[in-house]
Amino acid sequence: MSVVADTADFTTFHPNLSRTELYDWFQKRLNRPPEAYDFYKQAREFYQLGSYSRSIVCLREYITLPGAATPGRHLLAYCHLNLGEKEKALREFKKCVKEGYQEDWQLVVELTIELESKRREEAATSASSDPHFAVDSQSPSQIFT
């Protein structure tokens, strides 16, 4: 029996399921305890439907199981990226590279540059809006008088 076939209406699957509820959800659909591949397969289906939060739930469990493969972590990183969670995506892409998934090097570099640029912009904006850090045209002796 295909998990995907049983999830045409996946409204019973919520992104905030506990681990026990997650296993129960799969058990009801498979009539057996879920295996690593079941989590990965369902995560891919949710990803293809654009349900990234649901996919993340499956992938978080998948990557903890024996037999899990790096493509699951890679998909997890893309889920975070699609949700705008760039720091989480970067963390997962870095793990993929450490696990030998060299294709993610470019994404690691691009996200690192993007996040560092954003941090610098935020720091500059915050410094320019803070009167204690504002650049003043007065000489140092005039500032403290």
Side-chain angles (χ1 to χ4, degrees), residues 4 13 17 37 65 73 86 101-102 126 139-140 143:
V4 176
F13 189 104
L17 289 177
Y37 181 74
L65 299 172
R73 185 174 300 281
K86 292 179 181 178
Y101 207 78
Q102 300 302 316
S126 131
S139 72
I143 292 174

Side-chain angles (χ1 to χ4, degrees), residues 42-52 55 75 78-79 82:
Q42 187 60 54
R44 282 189 9 218
E45 178 68 16
F46 283 145
Y47 184 89
Q48 290 170 350
L49 294 170
S51 187
Y52 308 118
S55 185
L75 186 58
Y78 268 104
C79 288
N82 282 313

